[in-house]
Amino acid sequence: MDPLHLWPEPLRAQTWTGDAGDLTALADDVDTLLAACGREVTREHIPRVTAEARRLARHFRVPEGAAAQAALLHDLGGIVPRGEMVPLCRALGIPIYPEERQVPMLLHAQLSVVLARERYGVTDEGVLQAIRYHTTLHAAPNPLDLVVFLADKLEWDQGGAPPYQAALRRALRDGLEAGATWMLRWMASPEARLLVPHPDLRAAWAAFGVTARG
Ligand SMILES: [Fe+2]
Ligand SMILES: [Fe+2]
């Protein structure tokens, strides 16, 4: 977790000695950390995304434990204050895109990966990849990536149900890829009011044949 001093104090104060495969203990630790860091919105968002990820995983026959573990950890990097995300990533040796410098919050997924790997000892590359791409997707997502990405969109963190929830659920009747295509189209529409399209999102748009409008 070096450089440890750059991480928020509650993370340093609260050590983890558990097994990240124990999803109940993991959920408790994540919840306590989010509370200690005053991240009430995320704290409320995580159990909803995790329940949705479990539902999608069961329905589409994706390993449910992996989906739940990725969902529990996907936004934990958000405990790092926005202004400290770029310096922390730089100190960790994480390459930073210009878009991420412009909108540092885009780095929260990368920081979640570091926490998953280093605090909790998660080594499943599939779980780590699903965490990393939960916001943007990427050019060649696998079913676990799609489950975590879509669970995060169905149970967003902007208060209440997202305006597209019913339409996305309808699209999902034709499968995960159809759901992802629908969601990526919405994200390319002016309604999404994206601050800046991340390069990984642009790669996903290209791979799914989506043209950005607006
Ligand atoms: Fe996120
Ligand atoms: Fe999220």
Side-chain angles (χ1 to χ4, degrees):
M1 292 290 297
D2 281 339
L4 200 56
H5 68 279
L6 290 176
W7 291 91
E9 201 277 330
L11 193 75
R12 287 175 274 148
Q14 186 181 324
T15 52
W16 166 263
T17 52
D19 170 3
D22 177 349
L23 296 181
T24 307
L26 184 63
D28 282 349
D29 190 73
V30 167
D31 185 66
T32 309
L33 269 182
L34 290 170
C37 294
R39 294 294 193 272
E40 288 304 318
V41 172
T42 308
R43 199 177 165 208
E44 191 265 335
H45 167 71
I46 295 300
R48 288 190 286 110
V49 176
T50 305
E52 186 58 50
R54 282 185 180 279
R55 273 194 293 273
L56 289 175
R58 281 197 298 270
H59 187 77
F60 291 109
R61 300 180 188 282
V62 170
E64 185 181 338
Q69 192 180 47
L72 284 171
L73 295 172
H74 81 282
D75 274 342
L76 193 56
I79 61 172
V80 175
R82 228 164 266 208
E84 288 168 32
M85 285 185 172
V86 168
L88 180 54
C89 284
R90 200 182 293 129
L92 289 166
I94 295 171
I96 302 168
Y97 286 115
E99 290 83 353
E100 293 167 335
R101 211 171 291 280
Q102 203 181 329
V103 183
M105 195 54 198
L106 287 167
L107 289 165
H108 78 284
Q110 295 261 29
L111 293 170
S112 298
V113 170
V114 174
L115 290 170
R117 202 195 298 271
E118 299 198 17
R119 177 178 174 83
Y120 297 107
V122 174
T123 54
D124 183 331
E125 290 299 327
V127 169
L128 297 170
Q129 177 171 303
I131 295 171
R132 170 162 180 176
Y133 295 108
H134 78 264
T135 312
T136 59
L137 222 50
H138 60 111
N142 62 34
L144 179 59
D145 297 338
L146 296 174
V147 162
V148 177
F149 167 76
L150 291 167
D152 186 47
K153 300 299 179 281
L154 283 165
E155 292 290 351
W156 73 354
D157 54 4
Q158 309 292 309
Y164 52 75
Q165 195 184 58
L168 175 54
R169 286 203 191 281
R170 270 197 302 279
L172 272 164
R173 288 183 201 151
D174 293 325
L176 280 174
E177 299 263 341
T181 305
W182 192 96
M183 192 65 229
L184 287 167
R185 277 197 195 119
W186 188 86
M187 289 169 81
S189 74
E191 212 185 326
R193 288 197 230 115
L194 279 192
L195 293 171
V196 56
H198 190 278
D200 294 328
L201 176 59
R202 293 203 306 266
W205 282 340
F208 283 75
V210 173
T211 311
R213 294 175 282 136

